[in-house]
Amino acid sequence: MERKAPGTPLDRWIAGKVHGGRGAPSFVSREDLDRYHLERLREAVDYARDRSPYYARRLNGFSGGGLDSFADVAALPFTTERDIKDSPLSFLCVSQDEIARVVTLNTSGTTGPSKRLFFTAGDLELTIDFFHHGMSTLVSPGQRVLILLPGEKRDSVGDLLKRGLARMNVEGVVHGPVRDVDRALSDIVKFDIDCLVGIPTQVLWMVRHGGRGIPAGRIGSVLLSTDYVPKAIVDEIGRVWGCPVFSHYGTTETGLGFAVECAALSGHHIREADFYVEIVDPVTGLSCPDGQEGEIVFTTLTRKGMPLVRYRTGDISRFMIEPCPCGTALKRLGRVSGRFEGRVPVGRNHVLTIPDLDEALFPVPGLINYSVELVRDDDKDRLVLHLYTGKADDGDLANTAHKAAMTVPAVREAVMEGSLEVPQPNFTSTNPFTTGVGKRRLVVRTTA
Ligand SMILES: [Zn+2]
């Protein structure tokens, strides 16, 4: 039966890796991917167990040859952030001379060791290759991309993206995270930029900063990249700039690149040649059926420096069941709806998250960013909002933001039952800055 080749460049790229050789089909079927995954999982498990002290211990008694099905894979032990923090060097499968880049992540607000991740030049090459093919949906040869991600250091995310873009004759201009919004906006004109890649709240800042108008249609596409992208921000950027807004999900552990939307803008296609991905119940650790939300867990299939087996990301998403309009057989991750640990109990049995507040607050006209604290006080909690508008305090905006916060079901219900109070929001004169690594959090404080 003849099948039309799917319309995403990722599909062709992954087909090349899965099929190998010339004359192979330019698309992959689910059966091809399943067979490929099982073969690579066997190799990856043996490789990690034979070479890294951590997995020699952790996977003792497990053999790649014993993996006959994905149910067998689901019996392998998980790897957690704690494991990496406790002993990062014990994950190494190569000598330290072969490590090209070390990323050290300090989790703010927690004590103890920081998390370190190691990549060989070959591992970084896989990410560059993904950036090259993933970005070919957004830009064409001869265009220019303003990169609003850290990119000063060799092999940083912005640098890898720039190198990936160069492979299709697209120029990446590394600006770095936005600290001065006027400078970022003027760089669009100065470098004749066609596409922006940045952190959601920072691109929103550019869109809502009235200083310099970028006319609708001037920007061809935007890619928002981080561990979690609010839909309200996607909608606002698309509305004001009149361009498609793509979303990318990736973390340092995934080697920065991981899953990106195709032109259908309907869920993130995973780099399935390099990863085997599961969605598990965050409490029981059991596999979730497709379509159901759970924690994203991945196993690296091609990483050599510091492979990870069944790594628990802490991020919540689901596999989408319905086929993507682009026709690919690649799995799609739905919207990432924040972190499991970011679910904060309020009132009697309600759960509040930053993503819930984001979707309610970011549609408020003029709001650029905010931070939030939940103050635990005897029998009543207080939800304190600090708004950033880049302008003088605006009472109307504070009222609108207050009303918007009250539309979040957990907030409304906790207020109604008398266990939560939401005072009138106040204003902050500085934009809460993030480089994308420091995740936005609902800060919980207890009064003395
Ligand atoms: Zn698609």
Side-chain angles (χ1 to χ4, degrees):
M1 195 178 78
E2 198 183 339
R3 196 188 127 180
K4 196 168 159 283
T8 168
L10 278 187
D11 200 294
R12 290 188 287 279
W13 174 61
I14 289 173
K17 290 177 170 239
V18 169
H19 297 306
R22 285 161 176 272
S26 63
F27 60 88
V28 277
S29 66
R30 201 61 238 169
E31 295 72 33
D32 294 334
L33 283 163
D34 286 348
R35 194 165 41 243
Y36 170 89
H37 278 154
L38 215 44
E39 279 168 20
R40 287 300 175 111
L41 281 162
R42 290 182 188 124
E43 293 167 14
V45 163
D46 286 343
Y47 177 86
R49 190 206 52 226
D50 292 348
R51 288 173 174 247
S52 100
Y54 172 81
Y55 283 118
R57 196 170 63 242
R58 201 85 175 106
L59 296 175
N60 183 23
F62 290 98
S63 143
L67 300 176
D68 289 326
S69 67
F70 295 116
D72 293 337
V73 178
L76 296 171
F78 289 117
T79 305
T80 65
E81 180 177 50
R82 183 80 254 163
D83 298 328
I84 297 181
K85 280 184 176 171
D86 283 348
S87 178
L89 284 169
S90 73
F91 280 80
L92 280 191
C93 289
V94 298
S95 77
Q96 287 195 56
D97 299 348
E98 291 175 69
I99 295 301
R101 173 147 167 86
V102 184
V103 182
T104 304
L105 298 171
N106 295 302
T107 322
S108 59
T110 56
T111 51
S114 48
K115 191 164 48 172
R116 291 167 78 201
L117 292 134
F118 303 88
F119 301 96
T120 66
D123 297 335
L124 297 172
E125 166 55 32
L126 292 167
T127 299
I128 296 173
D129 200 22
F130 168 67
F131 285 158
H132 167 196
H133 292 276
M135 286 299 290
S136 66
T137 307
L138 281 87
V139 279
S140 327
Q143 294 195 314
R144 276 166 297 277
V145 177
L146 191 63
I147 301 172
L148 305 165
L149 302 172
E152 276 180 12
K153 286 188 199 149
R154 175 83 182 166
D155 297 332
S156 59
V157 61
D159 179 57
L160 297 175
L161 177 56
K162 183 184 163 89
R163 283 150 66 193
L165 289 167
R167 294 183 181 179
M168 58 169 156
N169 195 26
V170 169
E171 187 189 349
V173 178
V174 177
H175 176 100
V178 179
R179 291 169 191 273
D180 175 343
V181 70
D182 283 313
R183 193 170 71 82
L185 284 164
S186 67
D187 273 4
I188 292 178
V189 179
K190 183 174 165 190
F191 295 103
D192 195 16
I193 292 299
D194 302 284
C195 166
L196 267 69
V197 179
I199 296 159
T201 53
Q202 299 197 343
V203 181
L204 180 72
W205 190 15
M206 294 171 75
V207 161
R208 286 190 165 164
H209 181 74
R212 288 158 190 263
I214 300 291
R218 173 65 188 75
I219 302 290
S221 58
V222 170
L223 177 70
L224 300 179
S225 180
T226 178
D227 57 331
Y228 145 72
V229 176
K231 181 174 181 301
I233 292 186
V234 170
D235 291 347
E236 178 68 354
I237 295 169
R239 188 183 70 77
V240 176
W241 279 351
C243 66
V245 180
F246 293 73
S247 145
H248 168 260
Y249 165 77
T251 64
T252 306
E253 293 89 327
T254 68
L256 305 166
F258 188 71
V260 69
E261 288 185 315
C262 71
L265 298 177
S266 173
H268 310 78
H269 295 305
I270 301 167
R271 282 166 70 182
E272 288 203 77
D274 297 316
F275 293 95
Y276 171 69
V277 182
E278 302 165 75
I279 301 288
V280 307
D281 183 306
V283 177
T284 65
L286 298 174
S287 292
C288 291
D290 285 0
Q292 189 178 307
E293 275 207 330
E295 182 175 357
I296 303 168
V297 170
F298 69 82
T299 300
T300 60
L301 303 175
T302 49
R303 197 177 291 168
K304 295 299 178 199
M306 182 180 180
L308 295 171
V309 175
R310 303 197 78 214
Y311 182 75
R312 297 186 73 145
T313 62
D315 294 324
I316 302 294
S317 186
R318 65 183 179 100
F319 285 134
M320 298 171 75
I321 301 174
E322 55 284 14
C324 184
C326 76
T328 183
L330 298 174
K331 283 202 174 182
R332 271 185 309 162
L333 281 177
R335 182 164 296 283
V336 176
S337 60
R339 294 183 63 72
F340 182 62
E341 65 187 17
R343 300 187 167 196
V344 175
V346 288
R348 299 186 205 122
N349 239 348
H350 308 292
V351 173
L352 186 58
T353 67
I354 279 277
D356 291 338
L357 287 166
D358 281 355
E359 300 303 351
L361 289 169
F362 280 124
V364 173
L367 181 69
I368 287 169
N369 206 346
Y370 72 94
S371 62
V372 57
E373 297 169 282
L374 185 74
V375 184
R376 302 254 192 236
D377 201 356
D378 291 337
D379 55 5
K380 204 175 218 183
D381 295 342
R382 261 182 308 135
L383 190 71
V384 183
L385 292 163
H386 310 276
L387 310 177
Y388 177 73
T389 65
K391 295 184 188 135
D393 297 4
D394 176 340
D396 288 344
L397 191 144
N399 289 336
T400 313
H402 186 266
K403 275 192 198 130
M406 292 294 290
T407 65
V408 175
V411 174
R412 189 178 57 235
E413 282 158 32
V415 167
M416 268 164 38
E417 73 194 18
S419 54
L420 179 72
E421 190 177 57
V422 186
Q424 186 78 347
N426 54 49
F427 289 88
T428 161
S429 59
T430 50
N431 190 352
F433 181 75
T434 172
T435 58
V437 174
K439 291 169 176 123
R440 297 171 62 246
R441 294 188 302 139
L442 182 55
V443 177
V444 181
R445 211 152 50 79
T446 309
T447 52

